[in-house]
Amino acid sequence: MTELSKELKIVLIINGIAAFIYGFLFLVIPEIYYDLSDEPYPNVHLQRLWGGTITLLGIFALIAWKRGEWETGKIMVELAMGWLLLVCILSLASFAYVKRSPTNIASTWSDVIVTLIFFLMDLYFYLKQKKG
Amino acid sequence: MVEASKEVKIVLLINAIVALIYGFMYFIIPDITNQLNDGPYYNPQFYQLFGGTCFTLAIIALLAVKRGEWENLKTVLELGILWLIFVLIINFWSFAYMPYSTTAIASQAFDIIVVIIIIIVDIWVYLRESK
């Protein structure tokens, strides 16, 4: 078993914390988050499904960190990268068909930037561990 | 590295196929899916995000099957089981606050049955392989 590098463990914890914050917003307080982000199509059920998925990914990031093995951590980092890239692309694509208020545009842009930063960070440390 | 059994690989393939079907419905044809489900409060972006998540999970399941190592498959199977349990709870919960039509209730009930079947199969194969 190869040990996960210290950097990748920290990255997994950061991913987990960010996932819990977004998970809380979408799963626990979806109505408040709607108001904050001025969401054009409120659908609490889908928001909760989304929040639940994010929370679960956060839990698994922490499980991968706790196990500390590259063999099991690798697939979680790959899942996180694939998922973050998809969220980033879909959020950008949604500008073409979702009518947004200025507040919602700002909120979506901040999500896109956060997602992109996390994707690049995960990719960098994933490649670094793979090479090392 | 321990090689996973044939049953685990088949079960994960079935998971992936179901995820790809749901992914196609929510990601590629969200408008049609919404009309079929008669879903209240249509949100195209979240339909696509949910469908995209199903696609990503299916791809990861296929990747794990291709690698064939139990350590990888175990993590993916655990994620799959817990995610499906989350989906099940949230779907049940939604009956309390979503104004569903009869069609939407039937659609939700169908989804719940599919999810329960997959959870049971996943848990069964996971426990069998773990032993």
Side-chain angles (χ1 to χ4, degrees):
Chain A
M1 287 284 173
T2 314
E3 183 80 4
L4 273 176
S5 70
K6 203 177 172 183
E7 291 100 330
L8 206 53
K9 282 183 182 173
I10 293 167
V11 164
L12 280 171
I13 293 173
I14 295 170
N15 272 269
I17 292 168
F20 285 137
I21 294 169
Y22 272 96
F24 177 80
L25 290 169
F26 284 102
L27 181 67
V28 184
I29 52 162
E31 289 97 342
I32 296 171
Y33 189 61
Y34 267 142
D35 290 343
L36 284 172
S37 59
D38 200 14
E39 178 63 42
Y41 308 110
N43 184 327
V44 176
H45 179 215
L46 272 179
Q47 291 263 47
R48 287 211 164 110
L49 276 176
W50 188 240
T53 303
I54 298 172
T55 306
L56 193 68
L57 289 173
I59 292 170
F60 269 80
L62 296 184
I63 289 174
W65 160 73
K66 198 165 179 290
R67 286 186 182 159
E69 299 153 359
W70 170 236
E71 286 74 12
T72 49
K74 187 181 171 188
I75 197 123
M76 282 313 299
V77 181
E78 286 166 346
L79 171 63
M81 287 190 304
W83 186 77
L84 286 166
L85 186 63
L86 174 111
V87 171
C88 192
I89 292 169
L90 283 179
S91 296
L92 281 175
S94 74
F95 282 111
Y97 60 85
V98 177
K99 274 187 181 176
R100 298 182 189 282
S101 66
T103 309
N104 193 251
I105 289 173
S107 165
T108 308
W109 267 114
S110 84
D111 291 346
V112 168
I113 291 166
V114 169
T115 313
L116 194 61
I117 290 169
F118 272 85
F119 169 72
L120 292 173
M121 182 175 69
D122 288 358
L123 182 67
Y124 173 75
F125 287 105
Y126 172 82
L127 292 175
K128 199 175 164 185
Q129 167 101 38
K130 215 176 174 185
K131 277 180 192 167
Chain B
M1 285 289 163
V2 183
E3 180 74 21
S5 72
K6 207 174 170 184
E7 286 95 339
V8 178
K9 289 181 184 173
I10 291 169
V11 166
L12 262 178
L13 275 178
I14 294 169
N15 274 262
I17 290 166
V18 175
L20 286 173
I21 293 169
Y22 273 91
F24 176 80
M25 288 172 71
Y26 282 88
F27 185 68
I28 311 283
I29 52 164
D31 298 4
I32 297 169
T33 302
N34 185 60
Q35 283 172 15
L36 286 171
N37 290 345
D38 197 16
Y41 312 129
Y42 177 48
N43 184 329
Q45 189 196 354
F46 271 87
Y47 262 56
Q48 290 204 318
L49 283 171
F50 183 74
T53 301
C54 289
F55 265 133
T56 312
L57 289 170
I59 291 165
I60 288 294
L62 293 176
L63 194 66
V65 170
K66 194 169 175 282
R67 286 182 186 157
E69 298 151 0
W70 169 234
E71 288 78 5
N72 266 319
L73 285 163
K74 187 184 168 191
T75 309
V76 174
L77 207 52
E78 285 167 347
L79 176 71
I81 292 167
L82 282 178
W83 186 70
L84 288 167
I85 291 172
F86 253 107
V87 169
L88 188 66
I89 293 168
I90 291 166
N91 278 351
F92 267 121
W93 187 10
S94 74
F95 284 112
Y97 58 83
M98 291 292 280
Y100 287 131
S101 66
T102 314
T103 311
I105 290 172
S107 167
Q108 280 292 316
F110 177 77
D111 290 347
I112 285 171
I113 291 167
V114 170
V115 170
I116 288 174
I117 292 170
I118 297 175
I119 289 172
I120 292 169
V121 175
D122 284 359
I123 291 176
W124 174 73
V125 84
Y126 177 81
L127 292 176
R128 201 180 128 151
E129 191 78 1
S130 293
K131 278 178 189 169

